[in-house]
Amino acid sequence: MRTLFLYIGIISFLTGVTIRLLFIFDFFFPFILFFIAVIFFILSKKERYCHTEVFVIISVTTLFFSFGIFRVDILESGRTFLLDSSLGTYSEHTGTVITDIERKENYNRFTVATRGEKILIYTNPLEKILYGDELILSGVLRKPEIFYDVDNLSNGKAFDWPQFLAKDEIYYELFYPTLVNTGKGDLSLFQNIKRGLFITKESFIKNVHKVVSEPEASLLAGEVLGQKSSLGNELQESLRRTGIIHVVVLSGYNVTIIADSIMRSLSFLPNAVSLYLGIGGIILFTLMTGALATVVRASIMAVLVILARRYGRLYDITIALLFAGFLMVLHNPAIILYDPSFQLSFLATMGLLYVSPFVEKFFKFIPKKLGMREIFGATIGTQIFVLPLLVYLVGQISLVSLPVNILVLPAIPLTMLFGFMTGVFGFISYHLSFVFGLVSAVFLSYQLFVVNFFDGSYSALIGIHISLWEVIFVYFGLFMYFIFRKKDRAI
Amino acid sequence: MRIFFKKYRWYVIIVLIMTTILVWHTILIEGEKVLEISFFDVGQGDAIFIKSPDGNQVLVDGGPPNGRVLRELGKAMPFYDRFIDVVIATHSDQDHLGGLIDVLERYKIGLVIDSGVYGEGASHTQEKLLLENKKIKTITGKRGTTLDLGDGVRLEILFPDRDVAGMESNSTSIITRLVYKNHEFLLTGDAPQNIENYIVSEGDIKSDVLKVGHHGSNTSTSPIFLGKVKPNFAIISAGKDNPYGHPHKEVVSLLENFGVTVFETSKMGTITFVSDGRDLKIK
């Protein structure tokens, strides 16, 4: 009964957040709901009613629903728009770089914090800028606008860029400002560590670049560190058309695979040791990517999956996963609607836990060699589960996604392993790194071959447009089915 | 040992198959003895890659810093090859030098030839730093210098023939001419018309293929110059829908009037000529 309340509470909270993000209510609305909840709770204590549990359920639902609404109210009341006065005019801003530098084909992009606001900056790709640098920027400040995704022109779907940025509280953009880099700004201990991590990552990627050529090197950086930006628009488009783009985007999937392959290669050690090393691997990976919020969230989910595989019953792990999701949304409510990375990680993890073991049963004819059946199951399980959301997000279904995934994914753990070695040994010896680089390059060329083959041979895409409500409805149904299924089984 | 093989049989088989593919791959791509010159599609900019029959490689410019030159090099060179013999930076504009920064960072370079003029842009400071840090041998390109690329392939530097410090950057462009038996290729960087007209008087510049100066801008390609070069083919290396309107209409129609076949990287992608000294083919 208690876990039932927990489920209801979390789901009501998430519903509250979602509805409040879509609609604006009067400020007193959550307080009114809060009082209704209290009244129902008091009523449930009166013994003259026979179905008191119904009152409790109504009370819990209303209470958490109002919390959800209230959480978003707090978020929005914190928005100040201090820089609105300098919009559209040439102005000077001094601030510190607070994100990693994203390298795109024609510009570098990063966020600067200045006087309590954040600005997204676009610069010449050759400017050398690091996390934590203090910059003096002059240019014309603008507000982000809704646009047709340039990376994904084929579907013509508008991308809500302002909302996407708003989830990180960024409300301003500055294009190609004249900038003066005054070097490292005043950083906290945590920021100093982060800066160190980003510098290490840069060197790691440089090591890879010295021994692996393009586009293999970028694919490697994408798979090992989630750096998809340097892939180039053409290859990114190919990966998207063939439904394999997720291998270069940091998601729960990516993280789980690392941990999984570390644990499998160490299976000769006692269980507990390989478990700790697996979790250690995830933490190391998270740090290496600079502990971005999206990666931290994905990692938490990956750790849950590992624990589930080792000890848990599905039942416990569902609560844990849902609770983790609850905490993440509590921390930043906007992610539930506007952060595809969070949504996909969460769904992929659910798919891995629920659908994959179910799918594996139907593929007994696939040999267990090299973990083939598991990979097959994992691929299909996660694909099925993220499909409705993916269709909503990109407005397309890739027809070749399944064969491409099945051919490419088995090569990923080894590619990541050798790719990691390439980068690490680059710090010690060029020649050693070169050898590992060669092996990685072979794996990577194979993956590119598969992608190009399927991308070129078939018209891979079908455009489908579904509404947000349909997506929410489908997932609500799926969750209800899995959560309230009677059978509880071990994984 | 037997247990090892039993347990890891599949891994061993995969490694063996991969090795076989690798060896054959190497034999097949390194087999041909021809001169290849590729005009890379790098968007708005120039990047030209020369591979001599003896396997010597020269990269002339690297396009803008958008990473495309790296992907093109990845296609043009075998994936284990991390060495480029000579890199030529014709002049200091970002659409020529920008992409070279990545190349200098990632590849081992035998020799860098530049115009000796250092501009103020981000690309130039970085080039200087890189050359100093990596201790790459650097010389200033001067008329009279000829690179022997083996098997009779020569790369001649035609300009500058003087100290170009202080001149406007396009005018400092290093002009090179690649000669292999019956075939010549003329690469003029962004050299403007007055420089073109100047080198006409300095010696034979007849060439089969002309890389049209300054991406087809009307500031380059004078009729006098074109009359002396008498190319059969002209390459225009410019980005699709670039903000400068390159190639300019008058340049394209001038080329057509001279009966020159024009190829554009923005339409055809990377354009590669293959020559064995007698036949010139487009790959």
Side-chain angles (χ1 to χ4, degrees):
Chain A
M1 199 61 184
R2 260 197 208 140
T3 47
L4 178 71
F5 287 146
L6 189 63
Y7 278 135
I8 292 174
I10 292 175
I11 291 171
S12 308
F13 175 79
L14 297 180
T15 315
V17 168
T18 313
I19 290 185
R20 174 59 185 81
L21 283 171
L22 292 171
F23 305 104
I24 295 169
F25 298 115
D26 192 86
F27 182 69
F28 293 103
F29 186 59
F31 296 102
I32 296 165
L33 288 179
F34 182 77
F35 283 118
I36 294 174
V38 172
I39 290 165
F40 271 99
F41 187 72
I42 294 166
L43 287 178
S44 73
K45 292 293 173 196
K46 305 265 181 194
E47 280 167 15
R48 61 194 150 97
Y49 300 109
C50 42
H51 292 291
T52 52
E53 64 273 17
V54 177
F55 287 143
V56 180
I57 289 173
I58 294 174
S59 170
V60 170
T61 313
T62 330
L63 182 70
F64 279 87
F65 187 78
S66 72
F67 283 167
I69 290 175
F70 191 58
R71 177 68 191 89
V72 185
D73 280 340
I74 294 174
L75 174 84
E76 296 196 345
S77 66
R79 292 179 182 172
T80 45
F81 305 109
L82 286 173
L83 297 177
D84 270 9
S85 55
S86 6
L87 276 173
T89 54
Y90 194 87
S91 49
E92 194 178 281
H93 307 274
T94 309
T96 316
V97 180
I98 52 155
T99 58
D100 196 9
I101 316 298
E102 243 186 299
R103 292 179 208 292
K104 297 277 183 183
E105 222 174 85
N106 298 317
Y107 54 83
N108 282 353
R109 194 163 66 188
F110 52 89
T111 310
V112 159
T114 166
R115 289 184 287 144
E117 290 288 355
K118 294 176 187 170
I119 311 174
L120 191 66
I121 315 281
Y122 299 73
T123 63
N124 186 320
L126 288 174
E127 292 289 354
K128 278 270 180 239
I129 290 159
L130 285 170
Y131 175 92
D133 279 352
E134 196 159 285
L135 306 178
I136 304 167
L137 307 144
S138 359
V140 179
L141 216 55
R142 287 196 218 166
K143 277 218 166 290
E145 283 167 9
I146 291 182
F147 69 99
Y148 290 89
D149 190 355
V150 279
D151 292 343
N152 196 7
L153 278 175
S154 43
N155 63 24
K157 199 175 153 78
F159 183 66
D160 197 342
W161 181 237
Q163 279 293 3
F164 184 78
L165 292 182
K167 78 175 174 17
D168 298 318
E169 282 153 19
I170 300 170
Y171 306 108
Y172 305 99
E173 286 182 308
L174 191 52
F175 292 90
Y176 303 100
T178 12
L179 62 86
V180 181
N181 193 340
T182 55
K184 202 175 119 181
D186 287 330
L187 302 180
S188 66
L189 176 68
F190 179 65
Q191 284 175 318
N192 267 315
I193 294 172
K194 241 178 146 173
R195 184 175 158 105
L197 288 170
F198 281 130
I199 293 173
T200 316
K201 181 176 81 169
E202 263 320 79
S203 325
F204 179 95
I205 293 178
K206 266 192 187 153
N207 291 343
V208 170
H209 286 160
K210 277 184 192 146
V211 294
V212 184
S213 52
E214 292 291 345
E216 284 86 356
S218 286
L219 189 60
L220 187 65
E223 284 175 13
V224 179
L225 295 168
Q227 292 254 316
K228 71 166 177 172
S229 39
S230 54
L231 281 171
N233 297 342
E234 246 170 79
L235 183 57
Q236 262 192 59
E237 219 8 48
S238 287
L239 293 176
R240 194 169 279 129
R241 275 196 298 265
T242 48
I244 191 85
I245 187 83
H246 59 89
V247 296
V248 293
V249 181
L250 286 173
S251 62
Y253 181 78
N254 206 319
V255 181
T256 315
I257 277 204
I258 300 182
D260 205 48
S261 52
I262 292 175
M263 282 165 64
R264 229 176 269 174
S265 57
L266 297 174
S267 55
F268 58 91
L269 291 168
N271 273 355
V273 177
S274 73
L275 177 77
Y276 289 130
L277 285 173
I279 294 175
I282 293 186
I283 294 171
L284 181 74
F285 177 81
T286 314
L287 292 177
M288 254 180 43
T289 54
L292 301 168
T294 50
V295 186
V296 172
R297 290 193 278 259
S299 302
I300 292 173
M301 291 185 227
V303 169
L304 287 176
V305 173
I306 289 177
L307 291 174
R309 289 226 175 116
R310 193 56 62 146
Y311 300 116
R313 291 172 309 158
L314 202 50
Y315 179 73
D316 301 323
I317 225 66
T318 310
I319 297 176
L321 187 63
L322 213 57
F323 195 67
F326 164 73
L327 290 180
M328 291 167 195
V329 173
L330 188 67
H331 176 243
N332 181 359
I335 60 173
I336 195 171
L337 269 188
Y338 304 117
D339 185 3
S341 165
F342 166 73
Q343 300 156 350
L344 291 172
S345 310
F346 188 80
L347 293 173
T349 316
M350 291 292 269
L352 215 54
L353 287 175
Y354 286 102
V355 190
S356 297
F358 182 71
V359 171
E360 268 176 51
K361 275 189 232 155
F362 292 94
F363 294 98
K364 293 241 162 83
F365 59 89
I366 295 173
K368 277 202 157 175
K369 286 257 151 49
L370 303 174
M372 259 157 39
R373 196 191 296 169
E374 275 177 33
I375 289 169
F376 197 84
T379 308
I380 298 184
T382 47
Q383 291 272 313
I384 292 176
F385 226 74
V386 298
L387 191 67
L389 179 65
L390 266 186
V391 169
Y392 167 70
L393 288 174
V394 296
Q396 305 165 321
I397 292 185
S398 171
L399 292 181
V400 293
S401 157
L402 208 58
V404 170
N405 273 280
I406 288 164
L407 287 170
V408 167
L409 290 184
I412 300 272
L414 280 178
T415 317
M416 290 175 89
L417 182 69
F418 284 111
F420 184 72
M421 303 278 219
T422 310
V424 169
F425 280 108
F427 291 112
I428 306 162
S429 144
Y430 175 81
H431 297 281
L432 215 52
S433 165
F434 184 76
V435 173
F436 282 110
L438 279 190
V439 182
S440 325
V442 173
F443 281 107
L444 292 159
S445 333
Y446 161 74
Q447 294 167 32
L448 289 170
F449 171 77
V450 172
V451 167
N452 288 334
F453 177 80
F454 281 96
D455 190 30
S457 323
Y458 302 93
S459 59
L461 288 175
I462 297 183
I464 296 179
H465 290 263
I466 53 175
S467 73
L468 180 62
W469 295 109
E470 282 164 317
V471 177
I472 291 175
F473 183 75
V474 168
Y475 280 113
F476 191 72
L478 281 173
F479 283 134
M480 286 299 147
Y481 173 74
F482 282 115
I483 288 171
F484 294 109
R485 222 162 35 148
K486 282 205 180 120
K487 263 199 234 157
D488 182 17
R489 56 207 163 75
I491 315 163
Chain B
M1 204 60 185
R2 182 180 291 170
I3 297 167
F4 174 83
F5 275 119
K6 210 162 190 182
K7 205 168 171 191
Y8 295 103
R9 189 172 46 191
W10 284 97
Y11 293 98
V12 173
I13 289 174
I14 288 175
V15 169
L16 288 176
I17 291 174
M18 276 180 7
T19 319
T20 317
I21 294 174
L22 189 69
V23 170
W24 278 104
H25 180 77
T26 314
I27 292 171
L28 289 176
I29 49 173
E30 300 232 322
E32 290 174 288
K33 283 205 83 178
V34 288
L35 172 73
E36 275 185 30
I37 174 163
S38 302
F39 299 84
F40 287 158
D41 175 21
V42 288
Q44 179 66 10
D46 274 9
I48 300 133
F49 183 68
I50 302 164
K51 201 174 97 194
S52 83
D54 282 0
N56 292 316
Q57 296 154 333
V58 180
L59 180 67
V60 183
D61 286 341
N66 58 11
R68 282 168 78 164
V69 67
L70 295 169
R71 288 195 284 281
E72 294 293 339
L73 280 175
K75 277 186 233 164
M77 292 166 72
F79 69 91
Y80 48 82
D81 187 357
R82 306 301 303 164
F83 182 79
I84 300 173
D85 299 82
V86 181
V87 166
I88 298 177
T90 59
H91 65 296
S92 59
D93 287 359
Q94 182 154 326
D95 55 339
H96 295 253
L97 187 59
L100 279 185
I101 307 294
D102 286 333
V103 176
L104 293 180
E105 226 169 58
R106 298 182 183 202
Y107 286 83
K108 297 197 164 183
I109 313 288
L111 174 72
V112 171
I113 302 179
D114 63 17
S115 59
V117 183
Y118 289 94
E120 300 219 319
S123 52
H124 231 94
T125 20
Q126 281 208 40
E127 189 212 358
K128 233 175 145 177
L129 279 175
L130 268 170
L131 292 175
E132 280 162 16
N133 286 343
K134 288 187 76 182
K135 300 191 179 68
I136 304 171
K137 198 179 168 204
T138 311
I139 61 167
T140 304
K142 275 276 153 66
R143 186 179 178 95
T145 309
T146 300
L147 299 175
D148 180 2
L149 301 181
D151 201 33
V153 180
R154 285 177 294 130
L155 188 66
E156 304 164 345
I157 296 178
L158 304 183
F159 192 84
D161 56 358
R162 64 191 79 180
D163 184 14
V164 287
M167 280 165 77
E168 177 267 328
S169 86
N170 285 339
S171 305
T172 66
S173 288
I174 295 179
I175 300 178
T176 49
R177 184 163 173 256
L178 180 71
V179 184
Y180 181 40
K181 294 176 188 164
N182 293 335
H183 298 136
E184 302 88 18
F185 305 82
L186 189 61
L187 313 172
T188 63
D190 280 357
Q193 296 200 2
N194 58 353
I195 304 281
E196 289 178 343
N197 294 344
Y198 171 70
I199 64 162
V200 162
S201 59
E202 295 287 298
D204 178 27
I205 53 166
K206 199 220 148 287
S207 300
D208 299 81
V209 179
L210 169 70
K211 195 233 47 129
V212 177
H214 205 177
H215 326 287
S217 162
N218 54 16
T219 52
S220 294
T221 320
S222 77
I224 307 168
F225 173 72
L226 209 52
K228 288 283 182 189
V229 179
K230 288 194 209 111
N232 299 323
F233 304 102
I235 307 290
I236 296 172
S237 187
K240 202 177 169 189
D241 305 323
N242 65 74
Y244 315 99
H246 294 162
H248 289 147
K249 257 186 254 154
E250 53 269 45
V251 175
V252 177
S253 57
L254 182 72
L255 286 164
E256 277 165 3
N257 289 343
F258 273 82
V260 185
T261 315
V262 179
F263 296 123
E264 292 180 48
T265 56
S266 60
K267 289 177 186 158
M268 295 176 62
T270 290
I271 298 156
T272 304
F273 287 92
V274 181
S275 160
D276 58 3
R278 279 173 307 162
D279 296 318
L280 187 63
K281 274 182 261 173
I282 293 174
K283 202 151 104 179

